[in-house]
Amino acid sequence: MQTETHPLPETAAPLLLRNSDPVLMMAPDDLEESPEQARRRYDPQELEALKASVRRYGFIVPLLVQDQGGQRLRVISGHRRLRVARELGLQVPCLLSRTPFRGAAEAEVVMAANQQQPLDPFELFWTVVRITWEYHRELYDPALSLEQWMDLLRYVLDPGAAPLEEQPEWLRLRYREVMESLDADLKAFGLPAAQLRDRLIRYRAMLPVVQRALREGRLSWEGARSFNGWVKRARRMFPEHPALGEEALWALAQSLQALSLRELREALQRELARLGAPRREASEAERTIRRLYRRTARLEQDRRQEVRERLRLLEQELKDIEALLEQP
């Protein structure tokens, strides 16, 4: 493991400047990503831009790492830079933190580092779920599983709509404290309780293969919703088709990883046709959305992005409604 000291650049983030923490030049193979890393997907264009910057200027800000007793140091902040270092075959400057971060505390620090680059809806949702789960598990019930916590979380967010068969004793005794803690976490992460509840309900309703694709960063939140609806529709049309088994669907999800939302939907349409589905004509609503999408070209960039995002959400809602109407 490399331990060569390296002078800290003057442009390094002030938060990382601590005289007692040495900066080391490390090989990427001597570093590991934090399992608490919230980000599941990395934009290829953004990584290419970062690589171009590193080739020209080098690494300006060190990675924040800590020693957790393993063979490699763990990265707390700087996962995108670590990936670039691996691809370019470069050593990377690392600031060795002497402050221990474990469990929920590590997740919170990683989450704070991610504020530099916005998370997508699922990454934010999943980070909040994991951090709150680890906090309550450490504090009240070491045996509390993630699945059990999601059930409790849905109940806490909406007791009337999600009754529990049996409420844990610690929740009955500490209900007010749990509510206050959860409220503080949601405010800190900027995630309204209604959005957390909605995403929790949608996530739990997704097929296991789609949930896995989300957790492992194969699909974005909107991409997963499209894929989930497509799988349900395809299975209704072709109940015994071998291409719709778990392994085949997982391979399909992996092939969709680098696609934009529009490209993903087009690929799924082609896959449905390959399975033998008749070509479906676009509905009047879909034609209207496409026509409005083309009209956004005349708008200024910020306004154009806002309108296009709203059109994408509207298109997905229409597809969800269509899938519901097709259910027996």
Side-chain angles (χ1 to χ4, degrees), residues 155 162-168:
Y155 167 75
L164 290 175
E165 293 184 2
E166 183 177 357
Q167 189 177 142

Side-chain angles (χ1 to χ4, degrees), residues 261-325:
L261 185 59
R262 183 171 294 275
E263 291 170 338
L264 178 145
R265 290 172 178 168
E266 291 173 351
L268 291 177
Q269 287 293 342
R270 292 193 296 271
E271 181 65 16
L272 198 63
R274 189 186 69 81
L275 295 178
R279 178 177 174 83
R280 184 181 70 88
E281 294 297 328
S283 66
E284 180 63 31
E286 290 173 321
R287 287 194 292 270
T288 299
I289 288 176
R290 292 173 187 174
R291 185 170 65 253
L292 293 174
Y293 194 92
R294 289 192 295 269
R295 289 178 58 187
T296 61
R298 69 186 69 172
L299 299 175
E300 295 182 359
Q301 182 176 359
D302 291 345
R303 181 64 173 164
R304 181 170 64 248
Q305 290 178 348
E306 177 187 353
V307 174
R308 286 184 174 180
E309 178 61 25
R310 294 178 67 176
L311 287 172
R312 282 192 289 267
L313 293 174
L314 178 59
E315 183 180 14
Q316 182 58 47
E317 289 296 332
L318 289 173
K319 289 181 180 296
D320 291 346
I321 293 172
E322 183 182 59
L324 288 173
L325 293 174

Side-chain angles (χ1 to χ4, degrees), residues 186-298:
L186 293 179
K187 288 180 179 178
F189 292 122
L191 181 63
Q195 284 189 19
L196 177 61
R197 181 181 65 247
D198 178 68
R199 290 173 189 172
L200 182 60
I201 293 171
R202 290 179 182 273
Y203 174 76
R204 297 300 295 276
M206 287 179 176
L207 299 167
V209 66
V210 183
Q211 292 182 356
R212 179 186 175 190
L214 271 171
R215 291 193 305 270
E216 297 190 14
R218 307 296 180 177
L219 298 174
S220 67
W221 178 253
E222 294 301 331
R225 291 180 62 188
S226 293
F227 186 50
N228 193 72
W230 180 88
V231 173
K232 290 182 177 179
R233 180 185 177 195
R235 282 178 168 174
R236 286 195 301 271
M237 299 175 69
F238 309 101
E240 304 298 330
H241 203 296
L244 299 176
E246 292 297 309
E247 291 186 8
L249 288 174
W250 176 243
L252 177 58
Q254 291 178 296
S255 72
L256 301 172
Q257 181 173 358
L259 303 183
S260 68
L261 185 59
R262 183 171 294 275
E263 291 170 338
L264 178 145
R265 290 172 178 168
E266 291 173 351
L268 291 177
Q269 287 293 342
R270 292 193 296 271
E271 181 65 16
L272 198 63
R274 189 186 69 81
L275 295 178
R279 178 177 174 83
R280 184 181 70 88
E281 294 297 328
S283 66
E284 180 63 31
E286 290 173 321
R287 287 194 292 270
T288 299
I289 288 176
R290 292 173 187 174
R291 185 170 65 253
L292 293 174
Y293 194 92
R294 289 192 295 269
R295 289 178 58 187
T296 61
R298 69 186 69 172

Side-chain angles (χ1 to χ4, degrees), residues 98-199:
R98 302 193 187 283
T99 303
F101 300 114
R102 304 276 191 216
E106 179 180 345
E108 290 180 16
V109 173
V110 174
M111 178 64 184
N114 276 317
Q115 297 306 317
Q116 304 168 41
Q117 193 76 16
L119 301 175
D120 82 5
F122 175 75
E123 291 170 340
L124 179 58
F125 154 76
W126 195 242
T127 299
V128 171
V129 169
R130 284 186 55 83
I131 286 179
T132 54
W133 165 58
E134 291 179 350
Y135 173 79
H136 290 90
R137 183 183 61 173
E138 292 173 5
L139 196 60
Y140 300 121
D141 184 3
L144 181 67
S145 71
L146 183 58
E147 292 294 318
Q148 290 172 326
W149 171 242
M150 284 193 282
D151 287 337
L152 295 179
L153 187 57
R154 186 177 175 189
Y155 167 75
V156 168
L157 292 169
D158 195 353
L164 290 175
E165 293 184 2
E166 183 177 357
Q167 189 177 142
E169 183 178 0
W170 63 266
L171 183 58
R172 288 198 301 269
L173 297 175
R174 304 285 186 176
Y175 185 82
R176 183 179 294 276
E177 294 178 20
V178 170
M179 288 296 297
E180 291 175 352
S181 171
L182 182 60
D183 183 61
D185 287 336
L186 293 179
K187 288 180 179 178
F189 292 122
L191 181 63
Q195 284 189 19
L196 177 61
R197 181 181 65 247
D198 178 68
R199 290 173 189 172

